[in-house]
């Protein structure tokens, strides 16, 4: 049986690659959440036949990282060698997403992955020397796809303000395309339409806040306040995200764990966004989330009824919560 691995830090490119497999394949394609599968489920994928084509292609997300993490349990002993030995035309594409390149590199160095000896397609967001030009080239490709004509400064703004997040850039390009109907946009319309600073708050600030990266939180806050974002606006955005994370934790408690089910329940369609929220829901303690929400509510009330240095105290609040 054949295996392939798609892994990396660039969620947009990974999802785009999955879409290509689904759209271009002449065979039946099944997309599965690896966090919910047991040993029999995996073996069944390898041996089951398709009613519509010569073979099946199973796209399984997050499974390899899971069995590496659960290695000591013994539940997955020899599962991959067993699959390799199955005489089947079916294929499995393992999809593994990472926040940092260091995690992806450690993953590839594990004995399990090295022993697997199958094709690995690494899709990371470019970093370091030459990365600016590579990302800008990608923006130009998507610009052409959407029929836009952006100025060089507009492209630079998208690259800078998105924190090099391909999902966010693509969302903004699609929005600009719908507004302009294709073609050029003047700077006033561009600036009014692009909302990367608020999206940047949702992802970057929360990631660093939950991770306890106080220096980075302070750096982000200083930049946002300089850009004119108010403390009350920040509180509203943070509370909105906390509410979504708590909602997902509640769904976990009900036994609802798959990405597709949670997306349906919450109404959040972006795979990148739902994955970010689900990761936070798994990693951040429920009591801590409630405490943060309570502290933000009290701060919001205080900011509207008392006179004090809101920016200084808000930064202090985030560093202590």
């Amino acid at each position: 049986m054949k295996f392939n691995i798609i892994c990396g830090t660039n969620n947009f490119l990974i999802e785009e690659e999955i879409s290509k497999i689904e759209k271009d394949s002449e065979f039946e394609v099944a997309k599965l959440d690896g966090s919910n599968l047991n040993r029999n489920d995996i073996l069944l994928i390898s041996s089951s036949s398709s009613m519509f084509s010569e073979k099946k292609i199973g796209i399984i997300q997050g499974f390899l990282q899971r069995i590496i993490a659960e290695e000591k349990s013994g539940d997955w002993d020899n599962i991959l060698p067993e699959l390799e030995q199955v005489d089947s035309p079916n294929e499995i594409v393992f999809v593994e997403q990472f926040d940092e390149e260091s995690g992806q590199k450690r993953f590839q160095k594990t004995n399990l992955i090295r022993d697997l000896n199958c094709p690995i397609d690494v899709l990371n967001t470019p970093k370091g020397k030459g990365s600016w030009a590579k990302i800008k080239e990608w923006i130009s490709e998507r610009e052409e796809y959407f029929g836009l004509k952006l100025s060089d400064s507009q492209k630079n703004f998208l690259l800078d303000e998105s924190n090099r997040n391909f999902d966010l850039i693509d969302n903004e390009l699609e929005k600009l395309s719908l507004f302009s109907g294709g073609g050029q946009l003047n700077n006033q319309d561009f600036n009014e339409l692009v909302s990367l600073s608020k999206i940047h708050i949702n992802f970057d600030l929360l990631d660093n806040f939950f991770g306890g990266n106080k220096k980075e939180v302070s750096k982000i806050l200083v930049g946002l306040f300089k850009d004119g974002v108010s403390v009350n606006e920040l509180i509203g955005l943070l509370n909105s995200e906390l509410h979504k994370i708590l909602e997902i934790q509640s769904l976990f408690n009900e036994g609802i764990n798959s990405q597709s089910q949670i997306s349906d329940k919450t109404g959040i369609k972006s795979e990148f966004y739902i994955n970010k929220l689900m990761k936070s829901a798994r990693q951040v303690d429920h009591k801590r989330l409630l405490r943060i929400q309570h502290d933000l509510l009290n701060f919001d009330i205080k900011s509207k009824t008392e006179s004090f240095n809101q920016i200084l105290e808000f930064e202090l609040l985030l560093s202590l919560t």
Side-chain angles (χ1 to χ4, degrees):
M1 182 174 186
K2 288 177 62 177
F3 298 142
N4 288 285
I5 297 174
I6 299 172
C7 66
T9 60
N10 194 310
N11 294 286
F12 179 87
L13 294 182
I14 289 172
E15 293 300 334
E16 197 174 49
E17 194 63 28
I18 293 171
S19 295
K20 284 180 186 175
I21 296 171
E22 291 178 310
K23 291 175 183 176
D24 299 343
S25 177
E26 59 186 283
F27 306 112
E28 182 182 347
V29 178
K31 194 173 172 183
L32 304 162
D33 182 351
S35 66
N36 292 327
L37 301 177
N38 59 38
R39 193 182 187 96
N40 288 333
D41 293 331
I42 293 292
L43 293 172
L44 185 62
I45 294 166
S46 66
S47 59
S48 61
S49 300
S50 172
M51 296 177 63
F52 311 105
S53 60
E54 295 176 13
K55 66 180 182 182
K56 278 185 177 180
I57 299 176
I59 300 173
I60 307 178
Q61 295 183 293
F63 179 70
L64 295 180
Q65 290 184 80
R66 177 187 170 193
I67 63 175
I68 290 169
E70 297 176 4
E71 184 179 6
K72 291 182 180 179
S73 71
D75 293 341
W76 304 104
D77 287 354
N78 299 314
I79 183 65
L80 296 179
E82 280 185 47
L83 285 172
E84 282 186 301
Q85 291 170 16
V86 174
D87 183 15
S88 169
N90 294 348
E91 294 180 25
I92 292 180
V93 179
F94 295 110
V95 178
E96 305 295 329
Q97 295 171 311
F98 298 88
D99 290 328
E100 301 291 339
E101 274 190 44
S102 56
Q104 170 256 314
K105 288 175 180 176
R106 283 195 301 271
F107 166 78
Q108 282 190 250
K109 289 178 181 178
T110 59
N111 290 332
L112 183 139
I113 302 305
R114 284 192 291 195
D115 292 345
L116 200 53
N117 192 29
C118 69
I120 300 178
D121 191 4
V122 178
L123 299 172
N124 287 332
T125 300
K127 288 184 178 180
K129 188 176 181 180
S131 60
W132 178 280
K134 288 179 182 177
I135 300 175
K136 204 165 177 183
E137 183 182 344
W138 174 81
I139 291 175
S140 295
E141 289 173 3
R142 298 302 290 171
E143 173 194 16
E144 184 178 348
Y145 170 81
F146 284 116
L148 287 164
K149 292 180 182 178
L150 301 179
S151 68
D152 209 46
S153 63
Q154 289 170 344
K155 292 179 193 177
N156 289 341
F157 180 86
L158 288 172
L159 206 161
D160 285 335
E161 293 299 317
S162 67
N163 201 25
R164 302 190 177 202
N165 186 301
F166 282 40
D167 283 272
L168 301 186
I169 295 171
D170 204 66
N171 285 339
E172 295 302 314
L173 290 173
E174 183 176 9
K175 181 168 63 178
L176 292 170
S177 173
L178 291 171
F179 175 83
S180 68
Q184 289 184 319
L185 278 165
N186 62 50
N187 285 332
Q188 182 178 345
D189 288 338
F190 177 88
N191 292 331
E192 287 178 359
L193 285 165
V194 171
S195 55
L196 284 171
S197 59
K198 291 183 181 181
I199 299 169
H200 182 77
I201 294 166
N202 289 347
F203 295 127
D204 231 31
L205 181 58
L206 274 176
D207 280 351
N208 284 286
F209 173 55
F210 288 142
N213 302 322
K214 295 180 183 179
K215 287 185 179 179
E216 193 61 29
V217 167
S218 179
K219 179 181 171 183
I220 293 168
L221 286 175
V222 168
L224 291 171
F225 292 140
K226 279 184 179 178
D227 288 340
V229 179
S230 71
V231 170
N232 293 110
E233 186 178 8
L234 271 172
I235 290 172
L237 288 165
L238 287 170
N239 267 325
S240 175
E241 298 309 299
L242 289 171
H243 176 77
K244 293 183 183 83
I245 295 167
L246 286 165
E247 182 183 4
I248 291 171
Q249 284 188 340
S250 177
L251 292 172
F252 285 163
N253 291 336
E254 293 174 22
I256 299 171
N257 295 293
S258 77
Q259 177 189 301
S260 58
Q261 287 179 303
I262 290 173
S263 179
D264 288 341
K265 292 284 185 181
T266 59
I268 300 168
K269 301 305 179 186
S270 166
E271 290 195 30
F272 170 76
Y273 191 18
I274 201 73
N275 281 332
K276 277 281 190 183
L277 293 171
M278 287 175 68
K279 181 180 177 183
S280 296
R282 289 192 177 101
Q283 292 183 343
V284 185
D285 181 71
H286 182 72
K287 289 182 179 178
R288 184 187 176 201
L289 288 172
L290 291 175
R291 186 174 68 251
I292 294 167
Q293 196 175 49
H294 179 264
D295 290 346
L296 287 174
L297 176 62
N298 285 340
F299 189 94
D300 191 40
I301 294 170
K302 181 180 176 182
S303 71
K304 293 170 181 175
T305 57
E306 299 179 28
S307 178
F308 61 97
N309 189 328
Q310 293 185 14
I311 291 177
L312 182 63
E313 289 205 25
F314 183 71
E315 189 172 341
L316 182 63
L317 171 70
L318 288 190
S319 69
L320 296 175
T321 302

